Amino acid sequence: MEEDDDVESQASSDSLELDQREEKWIQHYSNSHRILLVGDGDFSFSVSLANAFGSATNMVATSLDSQETLARNYTNGIKNVMELEELGGLVLLGIDATKMSDHFFLRTQRFDRIIYNFPHVGFQYSESSNFQIESNKRLLKGFFKNAKVILQDNGEIHVTHKIGGIYDKWNVVKKAEKNGLIQKGRVPFSKADYPGYCNKRAHGWFPDGEFHIGACSTFIFGVKEACSRIRNTT
């Protein structure tokens, strides 16, 4: 929840600090990556990465929520934001995943990893309703379109999503491909790999509750043209 006039100076100092740190990893993510987290609920996934790195200076964590909504919906929302900021991270609220490349700061950045865990528009209809599925597909389309703009040429977009049944109807891979991306991989997702992460409902009468994850995967995408160039030079 930084003031607008602090954003540019913090980004510059972050780059200097990044060069001086020992590389640390948690699963697919390193403190050498410039990481953007999208729609992170109570920001507990961001905090999990930051704690593994010992710093959040390479991270920008975002949410569609306002500060008021964050405080109302999540017991640990404000606490997690404060922890991220104390570790040097940048937190931006009110960020729409389908419009984020127009944001005054984000549009000037290029990220090595863009992470969106369990994208969902909220329950306008039942989960199996065609209207609900189409709404979620539009969310994915808008996210991919925007994420591609602010991704490094050799960067990756990671979308963690439930698999099987109605969730396959979201056509995650096809939506990515229609926006100039290519699938580079797909790996099983385990919440246990990220200590402290709480997957929040975010919507409905109990937004602070955790939903049942079940079978899910992290889909990994890159920009199609950039992947082709890399292949041609190796």
Side-chain angles (χ1 to χ4, degrees):
M1 295 174 290
E2 299 285 332
E3 297 295 332
D4 290 357
D5 56 359
D6 292 336
V7 172
E8 299 280 352
S9 59
Q10 179 165 348
S12 177
S13 62
D14 287 353
S15 297
L16 289 174
E17 292 181 22
L18 194 60
D19 292 336
Q20 300 169 358
R21 293 204 304 267
E22 174 190 354
E23 189 169 23
K24 296 180 181 179
W25 286 82
I26 176 170
Q27 295 303 309
H28 324 291
Y29 311 113
S30 162
N31 62 340
S32 68
H33 294 143
R34 181 75 168 148
I35 300 174
L36 173 66
L37 298 108
V38 178
D40 192 18
D42 70 345
F43 293 98
S44 58
F45 190 84
S46 298
V47 169
S48 180
L49 297 191
N51 285 334
F53 300 151
S55 169
T57 55
N58 63 322
M59 295 165 52
V60 178
T62 71
S63 170
L64 180 61
D65 291 333
S66 64
Q67 182 175 346
E68 179 183 4
T69 302
L70 184 72
R72 181 177 65 247
N73 285 356
Y74 305 112
T75 302
N76 294 319
I78 298 299
K79 171 180 172 291
N80 288 338
V81 168
M82 292 175 64
E83 184 171 352
L84 284 170
E85 292 181 339
E86 287 170 2
L87 288 169
L90 176 62
V91 176
L92 299 174
L93 300 178
I95 302 298
D96 185 335
T98 66
K99 299 176 182 178
M100 61 187 179
S101 65
D102 292 329
H103 183 266
F104 80 96
F105 172 67
L106 294 178
R107 70 186 180 195
T108 70
Q109 304 298 300
R110 295 297 178 267
F111 295 93
D112 301 300
R113 299 290 184 271
I114 299 178
I115 304 169
Y116 198 174
N117 292 330
F118 304 106
H120 203 286
V121 295
F123 290 98
Q124 302 162 322
Y125 308 93
S126 69
E127 192 77 295
S128 60
S129 162
N130 285 333
F131 292 106
Q132 184 70 45
I133 292 169
E134 289 303 315
S135 293
N136 283 313
K137 287 167 71 173
R138 284 193 293 272
L139 170 62
L140 285 173
K141 176 183 177 180
F143 165 70
F144 286 132
K145 179 181 178 180
N146 280 260
K148 178 184 175 183
V149 174
I150 54 178
L151 187 70
Q152 290 278 18
D153 274 355
N154 61 344
E156 295 177 356
I157 297 168
H158 291 197
V159 175
T160 297
H161 179 56
K162 292 188 176 187
I163 56 174
I166 58 173
Y167 298 103
D168 289 347
K169 295 181 179 180
W170 290 28
N171 297 327
V172 176
V173 174
K174 286 185 178 179
K175 285 297 174 187
E177 290 174 345
K178 286 184 177 180
N179 283 278
L181 302 171
I182 188 169
Q183 185 176 2
K184 297 174 65 176
R186 171 178 160 180
V187 294
F189 177 86
S190 174
K191 177 179 162 182
D193 290 334
Y194 302 95
Y197 172 47
C198 300
N199 52 297
K200 298 299 186 179
R201 292 181 179 275
H203 309 286
W205 64 274
F206 189 31
D208 201 29
E210 296 183 36
F211 59 88
H212 176 64
I213 287 181
C216 55
S217 294
T218 298
F219 294 81
I220 301 172
F221 302 100
V223 177
K224 188 173 182 180
E225 298 91 337
C227 291
S228 298
R229 286 198 299 272
I230 291 170
R231 284 196 212 101
N232 292 334
T233 57
T234 56

